[in-house]
């Protein structure tokens, strides 16, 4: 019996300016061997496959290979989902015979459809790799719940959908010299995607958790088998189980030219350590992440250390259902090192930038801007009211750092209070004011005399209240004032 790889029966011969299918002898389709109908495809052995595997494969043929089924003049029998393993193997055997006949036929007997001709090409386009990855996932994962850890949220597996990965592929434009690395690769579907969608040196994935790492081996095996069945090229794949922060794995990160990490649930210290490693790389890798390493703003000069100063950032805005963990659009961030930036050597110490929460940073900056506006408004008001006898000053302070917000407070002199005479009785009416508009209550009539006399006796029995305590303006002390609102003669500020 010929081997699966030896069962290649199609060769393209060109003669007289035209191409025709040249046939060569081959053995009949063997039991439990599915003949590939594609030009460069490799026959697939299904003897060791379970019922779930065969059901998912037949479902793939039925849903995605209608053009092939039309060429075969055959259809997948109904009810195959509930069939026994023996029944499923019989269906696979019939499919294999049909595919064998198709390969033995000439193009004049069964003209290939345009879609079938596209599938005969060696490379995958975005649609083909999405169909293949969907099949690989269904073949490999029968129970998704095993990947969900409700007790440890950061250990819950989440996937980025192929449509979003296609955007990454178009933007990254990887070639044969590129090494793709997935930090926290889970079951390895993203690694397999880029291995099949791009002609690169290799695709590498590092995963710490045991369950996803074990499933990744199955995903890799199914991916390579399905790609071979369809006659598609695939870049080498390397899957590693371990902690990507371990020193022995650091060289793998430093050797990557494209790095992807779904870091939205990583602890903050993990992101900081990753940034320090990225800064060591002389490859200047492109970095895609689900949580920004630098934040969305890079204009503040205080935050130009680490990746903030060395890279420029681009945002993928996302679209509905671009991830498995939410139906809402999820943003992704692409960092590219600046060409002119000198990357520190691996032996130089690098202090990673501690990423500040963007909302907290926005709030702090808005507070500072508001305080500066208040100060500017106060200065403008002082200029307009230079001829006024009195002046109002509002000074606000930032208590979070126990320091005055404005540097010039350290040079302000204390407000003099010795010459100030507090007004015990409130503001007095000036002599020049007119009192004609004031309403004066009329004197009480005779009927009220007795009541007035009783009121006077009650008041006489009441103790005399102490004089009001003068309210003095607070002094400056230790360079810190909680809040000052006083009215002083204008010469104090001259």
């Amino acid at each position: 019996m010929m081997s699966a790889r030896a069962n290649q029966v199609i060769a393209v011969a060109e003669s007289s300016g035209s191409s025709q299918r040249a046939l060569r002898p081959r053995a009949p389709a063997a039991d439990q061997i599915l003949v590939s109908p594609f030009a460069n495809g490799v026959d697939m052995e299904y003897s060791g496959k379970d019922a779930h595997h065969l059901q998912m494969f037949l479902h793939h043929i039925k849903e995605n290979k209608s053009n092939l089924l039309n060429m075969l003049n055959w259809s997948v029998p109904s009810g195959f989902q509930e069939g026994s393993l023996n029944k499923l193997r019989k269906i696979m055997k019939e499919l294999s015979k049909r595919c064998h006949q198709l390969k033995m036929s000439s193009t004049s007997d069964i003209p290939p459809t345009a879609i079938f001709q596209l599938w005969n090409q060696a490379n995958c386009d975005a649609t083909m790799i999405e169909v293949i990855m969907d099949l690989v996932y269904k073949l490999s994962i029968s129970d998704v719940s095993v990947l969900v850890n409700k007790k440890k949220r950061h250990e819950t597996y989440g996937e980025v959908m192929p449509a979003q990965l296609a955007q990454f592929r178009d933007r990254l434009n990887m070639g044969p010299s590129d090494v793709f690395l997935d930090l926290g690769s889970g079951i390895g579907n993203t690694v397999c995607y880029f291995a099949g969608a791009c002609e690169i040196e290799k695709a590498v994935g590092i995963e710490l958790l045991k369950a996803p790492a074990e499933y990744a081996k199955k995903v890799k095996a199914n991916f390579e088998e399905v790609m071979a069945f369809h006659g598609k090229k695939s870049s080498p794949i390397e899957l590693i189980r371990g902690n990507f922060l371990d020193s022995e794995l650091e060289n793998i990160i430093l050797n990557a030219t494209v790095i992807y990490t779904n870091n939205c649930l990583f602890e903050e210290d993990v992101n900081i350590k990753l940034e320090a490693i990225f800064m060591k790389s002389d490859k200047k890798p492109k970095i895609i992440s689900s949580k920004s390493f630098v934040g969305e703003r890079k204009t503040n000069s205080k935050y130009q250390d680490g990746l903030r100063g060395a890279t420029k950032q681009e945002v993928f805005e996302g679209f509905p259902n671009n991830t498995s963990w939410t139906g809402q659009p999820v943003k992704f961030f692409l960092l590219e090192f600046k060409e002119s930036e000198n990357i520190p050597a691996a032996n130089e110490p690098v202090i990673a930038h501690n990423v500040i929460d963007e909302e907290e940073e926005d709030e702090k900056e808005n507070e500072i801007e508001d305080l500066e506006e208040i100060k500017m408004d106060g200065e403008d008001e002082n200029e307009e009211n230079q001829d006024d006898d009195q002046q109002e000053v509002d000074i606000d302070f930032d208590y979070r750092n126990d320091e005055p917000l404005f540097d010039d407070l350290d040079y302000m002199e204390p407000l003099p209070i010795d010459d100030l005479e507090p007004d015990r009785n409130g503001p007095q009416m000036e002599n020049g004011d007119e009192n004609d508009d004031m309403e004066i209550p009329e004197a009480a009539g005779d009927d009220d005399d007795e009541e007035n006399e009783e009121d006077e006796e009650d008041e006489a029995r009441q103790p005399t209240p102490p004089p009001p305590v003068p309210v003095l303006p607070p002094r400056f002390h230790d360079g810190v004032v909680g809040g000052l609102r006083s009215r002083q003669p204008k010469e104090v500020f001259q």
Side-chain angles (χ1 to χ4, degrees), residues 382 385-386 388-393 395 411-421 473-476 484 486-494:
N382 291 340
N385 300 328
Q386 288 182 356
D388 293 344
D389 293 334
Q390 296 178 346
Q391 188 175 40
E392 180 172 311
V393 178
I395 305 176
Y411 303 97
M412 294 180 66
E413 296 181 358
L415 295 176
I417 63 171
D418 297 336
D419 297 335
L420 298 178
E421 184 66 26
R475 289 180 177 271
F476 286 82
L484 174 62
S486 62
R487 302 180 66 85
Q488 302 297 337
K490 65 179 181 179
E491 54 265 25
V492 173
F493 297 94
Q494 289 181 351

Side-chain angles (χ1 to χ4, degrees), residues 32-327:
Q32 301 188 22
I33 295 291
L34 178 61
V35 175
S36 173
F38 303 102
N40 300 308
V42 176
D43 297 349
M44 182 178 68
E45 184 175 353
Y46 60 88
S47 59
K49 310 298 184 183
D50 59 14
H52 170 79
H53 190 102
L54 299 184
Q55 288 171 354
M56 292 299 101
F57 191 88
L58 289 172
H59 178 78
H60 163 75
I61 295 295
K62 181 179 180 180
E63 296 298 324
N64 300 293
K65 294 293 185 288
S66 58
N67 58 92
L68 172 62
L69 294 176
N70 290 334
M71 293 174 63
L72 298 177
N73 193 23
W74 183 75
S75 61
V76 179
S78 59
F80 70 93
Q81 297 92 337
E82 293 81 20
S84 64
L85 181 59
N86 288 334
K87 182 179 180 180
L88 292 170
R89 286 176 176 174
K90 290 180 180 179
I91 297 175
M92 292 289 288
K93 184 177 181 179
E94 180 64 24
L95 174 60
S96 182
K97 288 181 179 180
R98 299 278 180 165
C99 291
H100 172 73
Q101 294 173 1
L102 176 64
K103 274 200 167 182
M104 294 297 294
S105 65
S106 64
T107 55
S108 59
D109 295 333
I110 306 178
T113 64
I115 297 178
F116 186 78
Q117 286 181 323
L118 288 176
W119 276 95
N120 274 331
Q121 297 177 1
N123 296 322
C124 286
D125 60 18
T127 301
M128 293 176 188
I129 191 63
E130 183 172 350
V131 170
I132 287 175
M133 290 307 305
D134 179 68
L135 172 60
V136 170
Y137 185 88
K138 291 176 178 177
L139 294 176
S140 307
I141 310 297
S142 57
D143 184 8
V144 182
S145 63
V146 299
L147 301 174
V148 178
N149 191 334
K150 296 182 179 180
K151 294 183 179 179
K152 297 181 179 180
R153 183 168 174 260
H154 64 282
E155 294 185 1
T156 297
Y157 177 69
E159 301 166 11
V160 179
M161 297 294 102
Q164 182 63 72
L165 296 179
Q167 282 192 359
F168 297 162
R169 183 188 74 161
D170 295 340
R171 176 62 181 82
L172 294 170
N173 193 27
M174 290 186 285
S177 61
D178 282 304
V179 175
F180 174 83
L181 174 62
D182 186 351
L183 297 176
S185 53
I187 64 173
N189 61 335
T190 300
V191 176
C192 292
Y193 179 94
F194 284 103
C198 308
E199 293 185 42
I200 56 180
E201 181 179 332
K202 63 179 177 178
V204 184
I206 303 176
E207 174 57 42
L208 174 63
L209 302 179
K210 180 180 179 180
E214 290 298 321
Y215 275 102
K217 298 177 183 178
K218 193 175 182 180
V219 169
K220 177 178 179 290
N222 286 327
F223 172 77
E224 292 174 342
E225 185 177 59
V226 171
M227 289 288 285
F229 178 80
H230 288 86
K232 299 299 183 183
K233 292 181 179 179
S234 177
S235 303
I237 296 174
E238 183 179 353
L239 298 176
I240 303 169
R241 186 189 171 196
N243 188 339
F244 50 68
L245 294 178
D246 289 345
S247 57
E248 57 267 23
L249 298 180
E250 184 172 299
N251 285 334
I252 296 177
I253 300 178
L254 298 178
N255 190 49
T257 59
V258 176
I259 299 174
Y260 166 79
T261 180
N262 186 5
N263 64 332
C264 61
L265 294 181
F266 285 1
E267 299 292 339
E268 193 58 36
D269 64 321
V270 175
N271 288 323
I272 293 173
K273 291 175 181 177
L274 281 178
E275 180 181 5
I277 297 175
F278 297 157
M279 289 296 295
K280 295 181 182 180
S281 176
D282 59 358
K283 298 287 186 179
K284 295 185 176 181
K286 298 176 182 178
I287 304 166
I288 293 182
S289 60
S290 56
K291 180 179 180 180
S292 175
F293 284 96
V294 301
E296 292 198 35
R297 291 183 316 280
K298 297 175 59 178
T299 56
N300 195 323
S301 60
K302 294 189 299 183
Y303 303 120
Q304 293 301 313
D305 58 320
L307 290 176
R308 277 183 174 262
T311 62
K312 55 184 179 180
Q313 179 169 269
E314 179 180 333
V315 180
F316 293 92
E317 295 295 338
F319 47 86
N321 299 306
N322 63 333
T323 66
S324 65
W325 59 87
T326 179

Side-chain angles (χ1 to χ4, degrees), residues 412-461:
M412 294 180 66
E413 296 181 358
L415 295 176
I417 63 171
D418 297 336
D419 297 335
L420 298 178
E421 184 66 26
D423 191 349
R424 299 177 181 270
N425 300 318
Q428 301 295 326
M429 184 69 68
E430 296 183 2
N431 295 331
D433 292 344
E434 297 292 338
N435 299 329
D436 295 341
D437 296 334
M438 296 181 60
E439 295 183 1
I440 301 175
E442 297 179 359
D446 295 337
D447 296 337
D448 298 331
D449 288 343
E450 294 180 1
E451 294 180 4
N452 293 337
E453 290 177 0
E454 292 178 0
D455 292 340
E456 289 176 0
E457 291 177 0
D458 292 339
E459 291 177 0
R461 288 194 296 267

